[in-house]
Amino acid sequence: MSGAARDRDSEGRARSARPRDGLGRPLPYGVSGVERQPEGVVRSPGRTLVEAQRLLDEGKPFHAHEVFEDAWKSGPEPERELWRGLAQLAVGLTHAARGNAKGGARLLLRGAERIGGYRDPYGVDVSGLVAWARALAARVGEGGGEGGAPVDAVAEAPRLAR
């Protein structure tokens, strides 16, 4: 074990302070990266969707996943699986964009399954997202494992609402 101290938050929990790129990959200390989403922000469902869509459109699905994660952790119990599923779709796109075809496809399908039972809450295009996730999973899944060709996160960004 190295003698280097781990980055910690104010409560003493381990938190990496390393900068990150748009796909959430850690960059070396001292390099400027993409500003991270603040954690624990409580947003309205509409604000969550607008913020996540902006991040997806900018090619930052990892950061969109963090917005959905806040909604899943702070939202009412009956909606938690919706937000968790949307987070999995975003992180599935993240993995596909990083070239992890197998992991990306698995998360896209898991997210599609999780949101499939909802009927377009807050204008979310559930059937469109499920179709998008399944199609992208099939396309990237054909490439196999970790070494698949990365997809373009901007070009593949889904539309969350109709």
Side-chain angles (χ1 to χ4, degrees), residues 2-7 29:
S2 76
R6 294 181 69 183
D7 297 326
Y29 287 104

Side-chain angles (χ1 to χ4, degrees), residues 9-85:
D9 67 12
S10 61
E11 281 88 42
R13 291 182 299 243
R15 300 277 186 206
S16 177
R18 286 176 63 181
R20 304 248 174 192
D21 71 5
L23 294 175
R25 294 175 289 217
L27 299 169
Y29 287 104
V31 172
S32 70
V34 172
E35 187 172 336
R36 295 177 85 165
Q37 291 301 117
E39 291 183 41
V41 177
V42 178
R43 300 171 184 86
S44 70
R47 187 76 225 139
T48 295
L49 292 168
V50 166
E51 183 66 12
Q53 187 68 67
R54 179 186 67 77
L55 292 163
L56 288 167
D57 292 345
E58 292 175 1
K60 301 173 187 170
F62 176 82
H63 302 278
H65 134 268
E66 291 179 328
V67 170
F68 287 133
E69 191 173 277
D70 284 341
W72 138 39
K73 291 179 178 180
S74 67
E77 186 63 38
E79 295 177 4
R80 288 199 178 148
E81 290 302 293
L82 169 71
W83 301 115
R84 186 174 179 197

